[in-house]
Amino acid sequence: MVWPFPVGLEWTWLLSAWAVIELVLRVVLLGVIPGNRRPNTAMAWLLAIFLVPSVGFVLFLLFGNFKLSRRRTEQQAAVNERVRQSSSGIQELGNCYEGPAWVKSAAELNKHLGSLPLVDANSVKLFPGYEDSFKAMTAAIGEAKNFVNVEFYIMSSDELTDPLLTALEEAADRGVEVRLLFDHIGTLRVKGYRQLLKRLRSGGIKWRRMLPLLPIHGQWRRPDLRNHRKIVVVDGEVAFTGSQNLVEPHYRKPKNIKSGRQWVELMAELRGPVVPTLNIVFATDWLSETDESLQHQLVLPESTSAGHIPAQVVPSGPGFSTENNLRLFNTLIYSAQERISICSPYFVPDDSLLYAITTAAQRGVEVELFVSEKGDQFLVHHAQRSYYEALLNAGVRVYLYRAPYVLHAKHFTIDDEVAVIGSSNMDMRSFSLNMEVSVMMLGADIVEQMRSVENSYREGSRELLLEDWMRRPILAKYVDNVARLTATVQ
């Protein structure tokens, strides 16, 4: 019998050739991977490739590119340029803002990065109730006359979302332009995906998957590049954004229903000149998925004054060359003089954000962080826990929102001057991989609204104390630290 595998010199030659290939691979990637990556991210990839070159290299090919396609990036750049040229049509707050200079500086930063101006005369209403926001969105859609644009990371057709979807279908039937975007992978993971597609295909709604992964149709990219935005715009006059997905509060999981686990969210209803700027973000995403321009929608309504709150939309994600949300968050936190309140369901900061928060606490600013007592994602939750010791040592007060609820709201306030709400977590995924949208709102009135929500979180939480945290089991600390390593791979 002839042995089917190489032996002797042939086998030695094959091993030697493979060793040379791996060595060359290591040397080449040593000068490639660190380019435009954080040092810790580059080190994580290089460690994987040096330890297991073939496996590490394949994973790098699948997950190492955190940028969108050239077409999408060029489209984003073109939209930004058009917005800069046409923003004179929107009444910008500009030099007449009378608040602190650091707030004006943050607004200038936002415009430089995301192209959208700070505009005055808006009204904002917050919806901390899960069903209340759905009712408000459904009512607004029911009154639509010209167009409705809807964009969510996760969508579902279930008992809670059915009235909203029905309102969209009825609007389309009466001649309203109705467009709907949902993230492909985010929605695919939720029960009832096929039923949702069947419903959409049978109605008059124009819809698309965002960042689809359909290799048989030539649609392929890094799988964890996702569109995480939540946006509803009706007639350019009223808009909604925040943390909530279009799904019932248990995310259609029997184990969540059985345990009583529900998601706690916060959405904002916006009226005024900020609404068309939020619609620009939707229009950009729609253009990326369909090549259809919505330029006809991007005009101010006749009556633009709805209140007295200045607001500015801040888009971010891999379509931009900068991490717009991270830069804004750091700028505001470093500028705080009295108080910072942060709510983030997935708190896995990079070094710059961690330093900003701990430095604020160390220089006497009151800093508090609201997170879930028990997270819904194992690795992210344990990675988050690995930061508690540094936060507590610096003087940050950490509040754990009691299980089984998942505190999924994403917002923060700075002094009595600024409130920020949106889809962005304070984690490296939201800063580098996800397409996000945030809204910066100014003034004591909106901060007071947000503080009322924060107070309700505090009442539903238990404060984590340093002495208690330091007594946690060694195995738990080990798991937290190992999970933290996964946060650096981007």
Side-chain angles (χ1 to χ4, degrees), residues 194-248:
R194 291 184 179 179
Q195 288 78 7
L196 172 66
L197 294 186
K198 182 178 180 181
R199 178 172 186 171
L200 293 176
R201 286 166 178 158
S202 64
I205 299 172
K206 297 180 180 179
W207 62 275
R208 288 292 189 279
R209 304 175 181 91
M210 293 187 292
L211 300 173
L213 285 177
L214 299 168
I216 59 174
H217 296 294
Q219 297 174 323
W220 174 258
R221 61 185 53 82
R222 177 172 170 166
D224 57 348
L225 285 177
R226 308 306 337 144
N227 193 317
H228 198 237
R229 294 167 179 158
K230 291 92 175 171
I231 299 171
V232 175
V233 180
V234 179
D235 290 340
E237 297 180 355
V238 58
F240 298 83
T241 193
S243 65
Q244 190 172 35
N245 287 300
L246 201 63
V247 62
E248 60 89 26

Side-chain angles (χ1 to χ4, degrees), residues 152-156 182-197 209-214 226:
F152 283 92
Y153 173 60
I154 292 175
M155 276 197 62
S156 167
F182 60 86
D183 186 81
H184 183 200
I185 301 302
T187 299
L188 178 64
R189 296 182 300 179
V190 176
K191 180 181 177 182
Y193 176 68
R194 291 184 179 179
Q195 288 78 7
L196 172 66
L197 294 186
R209 304 175 181 91
M210 293 187 292
L211 300 173
L213 285 177
L214 299 168
R226 308 306 337 144

Side-chain angles (χ1 to χ4, degrees), residues 38 153-154 189 226-230 242-245 251 263-266 314 316-317 323-330 333 342-350 353 357 369-372 376-377 380 384 406-412 420-438 490:
R38 296 185 181 92
Y153 173 60
I154 292 175
R189 296 182 300 179
R226 308 306 337 144
N227 193 317
H228 198 237
R229 294 167 179 158
K230 291 92 175 171
S243 65
Q244 190 172 35
N245 287 300
Y251 276 60
W263 270 239
V264 177
E265 309 284 2
L266 185 65
V314 185
S316 59
E323 296 169 324
N324 300 356
N325 47 359
L326 176 60
R327 290 176 187 267
L328 171 62
F329 296 174
N330 280 339
I333 290 168
I342 298 171
C343 179
S344 179
Y346 312 116
F347 183 82
V348 187
D350 76 335
L353 182 60
I357 292 172
L369 171 67
F370 297 97
V371 292
S372 296
D376 63 303
Q377 298 183 25
V380 176
Q384 171 179 290
V406 175
L407 185 58
H408 193 250
K410 313 163 196 295
H411 53 84
F412 66 98
V420 177
I421 189 172
S423 64
S424 179
N425 300 303
M426 286 194 175
D427 70 350
M428 286 179 276
R429 174 170 295 282
S430 280
F431 298 146
S432 300
L433 302 179
N434 288 345
M435 300 171 71
E436 307 281 8
V437 64
S438 304
Q490 295 174 15

